[in-house]
Amino acid sequence: MNASSIRFYIPLLLITVFGVFLTVWITTPEKAPWVGMAYSETVTKIAVALLLFSVALLLTYASARLAIRGTTYESNGVWRSFVAPPAFESSESPNKPIEQIESMVGLNSVKREINSLLSRLQIEQQRRLQNMSVTATSQHMVFTGPPGVGKTEIARQLGAVYRTLGVLESGHLVEVDRSDLVAGYVGQTAERTLAICKRALDGVLFIDEAYSLADGSADGGGFGKEAIEVLLKFMEDHRSRIIVIVAGYPNEMRRFVSSNPGLASRFAKTIDFPAYRPSELFAIFQRIARERQYELPDAGLERLLKPWFADRMKSAEWGNARSIRNLFERVCEEQANRLATSAEFGHTIQHISLDDIESAIAKL
């Protein structure tokens, strides 16, 4: 039982107890409850009053919950109406995670897709609050693009958006890849995948390089396909309590989704993440420096880095923002080596020189 459910059980219990006293008092207006009554008569009246009041209260509660949630329940939705925290209880605003997304460098096409998704979710929220029908749509998505372009961060912020809009209770992110889902022996993959899915319940499950699950040659026994079957069943059994995002390179992800009819029907939306341009990579480098409280040289930095970015982008190992972070770490090492033998140590500790960056580039 989670904290949200407890917050509803305590008022229910208090109201029920109060209702018992009130009902017994009303049914015996000539005297205070239990005064002058036989023991058996008192117990009978209390039991009947408790039963009637509890049934009425629970039916009212369930009806209100169903009216708010609409038709988004899973197969055991009637039971869930009693125990699950209500939709749209969050007082948070989706503005904060959306601002985090908007502040990311580049990704304009991705931001448009996210804003469109947010608009639809907000309209659905209002329709539920007004007891109007809502068309059930799959929230699962495919993120395509090279590594290091913000797919994981967007998924994390989307989880926060889903939480603030009441689509998911917690909106937490569980990030995994093939090695987290697939085991080397028969039967272990299903157990491992199911455990991961349960961890992601009421949140977002992000599977990086998901296309490798459909590659039977990777394990020689098709354990990846076993993981897919477990995942699909869990998604169906808990379709209102988990959102799955699968990610990877565009061509590989298209083959992955088409490899199983269940995947094609559940992952209907794809968002493509383009690779960063040299100017965007330069902006990311500057942002990392600001966040870590370093000062970059003004003269010559852009002329040095942009051509280097453009050349390194041609490499198959290029990791976009990930490679920029690695570069900055190397720059910091070069700065530390320089300052360790300098008389200015302690006075210019926040300054990075052009020589530091050139030395770092030469070693990459």
Side-chain angles (χ1 to χ4, degrees), residues 143-147 149 151 248-250 271-274:
F143 285 1
T144 62
V149 290
K151 296 189 291 292
Y249 292 102
I271 298 180
D272 182 60
F273 287 66

Side-chain angles (χ1 to χ4, degrees), residues 14-219:
L14 294 177
I15 292 172
T16 301
V17 172
F18 174 77
V20 170
F21 279 90
L22 181 63
T23 304
V24 173
W25 180 270
I26 292 173
T27 56
T28 58
E30 71 282 358
K31 63 184 75 173
W34 307 293
V35 176
M37 290 188 197
Y39 177 77
S40 59
E41 183 183 0
T42 301
V43 172
T44 301
K45 287 193 174 187
I46 291 175
V48 171
L50 177 62
L51 177 62
L52 292 176
F53 188 82
S54 299
V55 169
L57 184 63
L58 289 174
L59 287 176
T60 302
Y61 178 68
S63 299
R65 293 292 307 284
L66 287 168
I68 291 175
R69 281 186 175 262
T71 58
T72 61
Y73 280 117
E74 53 203 69
S75 58
N76 60 343
V78 175
W79 169 245
R80 289 265 303 154
S81 68
F82 292 93
V83 299
F88 318 121
E89 66 170 343
S90 175
S91 60
E92 297 178 86
S93 167
N95 291 339
K96 185 175 181 180
I98 289 298
E99 287 171 1
Q100 290 288 333
I101 293 174
E102 290 292 344
S103 69
M104 296 177 69
V105 174
L107 304 177
N108 292 330
S109 60
V110 174
K111 293 172 183 176
R112 286 193 295 270
E113 291 277 3
I114 299 302
N115 284 323
S116 176
L117 173 64
L118 176 63
S119 297
R120 177 172 63 81
L121 292 174
Q122 289 175 323
I123 293 299
E124 290 179 357
Q125 180 191 42
Q126 291 303 314
R127 289 182 65 87
R128 289 192 184 94
L129 290 174
Q130 297 178 38
N131 199 25
M132 301 172 69
S133 63
V134 176
T135 302
T137 56
S138 174
Q139 303 287 0
H140 310 300
M141 287 178 282
V142 179
F143 285 1
T144 62
V149 290
K151 296 189 291 292
T152 305
E153 182 59 26
I154 291 291
R156 180 177 291 106
Q157 297 303 331
L158 272 178
V161 170
Y162 287 132
R163 182 186 67 249
T164 60
L165 293 178
V167 178
L168 294 171
E169 181 181 343
S170 68
H172 65 286
L173 181 75
V174 175
E175 181 186 0
V176 299
D177 57 20
R178 178 191 173 88
S179 64
D180 298 304
L181 300 171
V182 175
Y185 300 95
V186 175
Q188 290 183 336
T189 292
E191 294 178 1
R192 183 179 292 186
T193 302
L194 184 59
I196 293 290
C197 290
K198 289 180 178 179
R199 275 176 48 202
L201 201 60
D202 295 317
V204 176
L205 176 59
F206 181 84
I207 307 177
D208 197 17
E209 297 182 349
Y211 54 84
S212 62
L213 293 173
D215 183 9
S217 63
D219 51 44

